[in-house]
Each structure stands twice: as structure tokens, then as C-alpha cells.
Amino acid sequence: MTRKQKRLAVIAGGMGFIAAAVLLVMFAFSQSVAYFYMPADLAKTPVAPDTRIRLGGLVGEGSVVRGTGSTVEFAVTDGSANAVKVQYTGILPDLFREGQGVVTEGLFASGGNVFIADTVLAKHDETYMPKDVADRLKQQGLWKEGQGGEGQGQEAKATQ
């Protein structure tokens, strides 16, 4: 083997190693991606069971039902006629309540319309909510500027 052939073999081996590493990283990322949906999106394009997604919107008024132990069922809505029933077993965040923003992560149960969440994140205003979700809720009139956070605290101080 000449010197030139050895150099080309090393370069080709290095490129093959880099290509294999890139493919492995891309495969790992594709397995851990959780797409974000709102209830209206799910009504348009249903998601296959056992597909991991994030579901966001507002906790429906009067929809929180506490079951046995730490099981809670509630509805996530985005102001449209569509609401998604969510079942969660665990401790809910302190900011979780009806009418507040929430992002849940999990999957749909096989053969049912119930979303089984393994993570629940409660939001107190639009600064912590994905921009597209906050914009949609504002367009539908369900979210107003100054709602939550500092705005409520100042109103409470003014009434005291």
C-alpha cells in the first residue's frame, strides 16, 4: 500500500465513523421527540395510540375529579368545542387549578380517548407557555394580557 492509499483509507474510515455517529444521534433524537398538540389539533389529526405527545391548553372548568389515591382526571381544552380527557396518577403541581394553563406529557390509551399523562406542568401566565398556545388562547378570548402572575397580585393589593 502506498502512502497516498493509506492516507485515503484513514480519511475514508474517519468519514465512515462520523457518518455512523451522526446517524446514531439522529435515531436517538427521533425516539425522544414528543410533539406538541392542542385539543383542536387532535380533533383534526388523531394521534395513533402509544405515540408520545405533549398536550397543552387550559384545565376545563368543573372537570377536575379526584379518584382513589393520587389519581386525578381532568379535561384539557383550548376554547374550542374539543376537550381531551386526561388521567394522571401522581402529585399535581401547586399551581394546578381549573382555568389555568397546563402542559401534559404522555400517550393515549389503546382503544380509548383518554390521555394517560405521566407529567403535568402547570402554568400561571403566558410567559411560561409556548408562544403559539398563548397566541391561540388570546385570539379566542380565553387569555387576557396581565392575567395571572403580577397582575393578580396588584389587584389583590388594591382591594385591601
Side-chain angles (χ1 to χ4, degrees):
M1 219 179 196
T2 66
R3 192 172 187 185
K4 186 176 182 179
Q5 289 174 334
K6 287 180 183 177
R7 189 177 307 146
L8 286 175
V10 169
I11 290 172
M15 295 297 262
F17 178 76
I18 290 173
V22 167
L23 288 173
L24 286 173
V25 167
M26 289 176 62
F27 178 74
F29 280 138
S30 70
Q31 296 297 316
S32 66
V33 170
Y35 295 103
F36 187 84
Y37 292 92
M38 291 184 65
D41 299 334
L42 291 173
K44 292 176 191 171
T45 56
V47 176
D50 300 328
T51 301
R52 193 159 183 75
I53 66 166
R54 285 187 178 154
L55 172 66
L58 298 174
V59 178
E61 295 290 336
S63 68
V64 178
V65 177
R66 302 209 183 260
T68 60
S70 59
T71 301
V72 179
E73 291 184 359
F74 57 93
V76 173
T77 183
D78 58 359
S80 64
N82 306 309
V84 177
K85 185 177 179 181
V86 178
Q87 183 178 7
Y88 175 70
T89 302
I91 299 172
L92 289 168
D94 291 339
L95 296 174
F96 180 88
R97 62 181 172 270
E98 295 174 357
Q100 290 296 106
V102 68
V103 175
T104 61
E105 188 172 337
L107 44 91
F108 279 97
S110 299
N113 293 336
V114 177
F115 184 75
I116 308 298
D118 53 29
T119 305
V120 174
L121 304 170
K123 309 298 180 186
H124 76 286
D125 71 19
E126 74 278 359
T127 58
Y128 298 106
M129 187 174 287
K131 184 172 175 23
D132 60 330
V133 175
D135 291 343
R136 284 190 202 174
L137 293 174
K138 286 177 186 176
Q139 286 174 354
Q140 295 170 355
L142 295 173
W143 204 282
K144 296 177 179 54
E145 292 295 331
Q147 180 179 9
E150 295 177 9
Q152 287 182 346
Q154 291 177 1
E155 288 175 13
K157 288 178 186 174
T159 59
Q160 291 179 352

